[in-house]
Amino acid sequence: MLNKYARAFFTRVLTPFAAFLLRRGVSPDAVTLIGTAGVMAGALVFFPRGEFFWGTIVITLFVFSDLVDGNMARQAGISSRWGAFLDSTLDRVADGAIFGGFALWYAGTGDNNMLCAVAIFCLASGQVVSYTKARGESIGLPVAVNGLIERAERLVISLVAAGLAGLETFGVPGIGILLPIALWIVAVGSAITLAQRVVTVRRESAEADAAAAAAAQESETA
């Protein structure tokens, strides 16, 4: 849901900036690569040290590249399968870095094996949720379900919580608990979303197989 409405809003807001980059000769692929590098740096440099506020600031500055590169490609009329592939692939890399950063914190100074495991589950389940849709579509199914928590929700919930939790280092007491709560929400929501997509693919595949069998039978009797 967030992906649908937030993407439309920020696309309108960022259109002038995308046009500015095109006029300066910047390519959409370059924006994709720089954005991913920035997100990875914010997550893997700051999060493992517990600097959640500054890490979130850095990530937020670069995460909008996911909207800017596509906007640039559409404005320039150069949308391509390669661009879509690169964007989707690097999205997975960026997501992995974010939750990997959380896992490194809890495996180290954060000293909480349970939350380290939850962060790793968030990382893995997010990748699998994306894979189920891509794999279903690759075998000709519509996968007509979004699910409870998609990529936009995972990022917003985890990054907002991380940014607020980082305020604890500025003297705001008790706010650090928000990050563990957010990770549990993302983990449970991702598991539910995965189940929703698996059930949908099973139903759609059964319907497609039944339709194909009926069409084959009809052609034999014709």
Side-chain angles (χ1 to χ4, degrees), residues 171-191:
V172 181
I175 203 166
I177 191 64
L178 291 179
L179 181 56
I181 292 173
L183 290 175
W184 277 108
I185 290 173
V186 171
V188 173
S190 295

Side-chain angles (χ1 to χ4, degrees), residues 35 97 122 131 148 158 161 204 210-211:
C122 290
Y131 173 80
L148 182 63
S158 58
E204 291 177 348

Side-chain angles (χ1 to χ4, degrees), residues 25-209:
V26 180
S27 71
D29 287 353
V31 172
T32 302
L33 291 167
I34 293 171
T36 302
V39 170
M40 291 178 65
L44 298 179
V45 172
F46 291 95
F47 285 175
R49 298 188 296 184
E51 298 177 4
F52 297 118
F53 178 79
W54 294 115
T56 300
I57 294 297
V58 172
I59 291 170
T60 301
L61 290 175
F62 285 98
V63 79
F64 286 107
S65 66
D66 187 45
L67 300 176
V68 174
D69 54 7
N71 193 315
M72 291 172 65
R74 286 189 294 274
Q75 288 191 50
I78 55 174
S79 297
S80 65
R81 291 182 176 87
W82 161 250
F85 170 81
L86 181 66
D87 184 59
S88 180
T89 299
L90 293 184
D91 281 349
R92 308 287 84 76
V93 174
D95 293 357
I98 290 170
F99 290 103
F102 293 144
L104 287 172
W105 162 251
Y106 286 116
T109 308
D111 193 23
N112 192 316
N113 289 337
M114 174 63 75
L115 289 175
C116 176
V118 172
I120 292 173
F121 179 81
C122 290
L123 189 163
S125 60
Q127 307 294 320
V128 177
V129 163
S130 298
Y131 173 80
T132 53
K133 187 173 182 65
R135 182 63 178 133
E137 291 174 342
S138 74
I139 58 176
L141 301 175
V143 195
V145 62
N146 290 323
L148 182 63
I149 290 186
E150 295 184 283
R151 182 173 188 256
E153 286 83 2
R154 290 196 302 271
L155 290 180
V156 169
I157 293 171
S158 58
L159 290 178
V160 168
L164 292 175
L167 294 176
E168 194 166 48
T169 60
F170 295 95
V172 181
I175 203 166
I177 191 64
L178 291 179
L179 181 56
I181 292 173
L183 290 175
W184 277 108
I185 290 173
V186 171
V188 173
S190 295
I192 293 172
T193 303
L194 178 59
Q196 289 174 308
R197 290 194 172 177
V198 169
V199 168
T200 298
V201 169
R202 178 170 181 171
R203 174 179 53 78
E204 291 177 348
S205 62
E207 292 172 351
D209 291 343

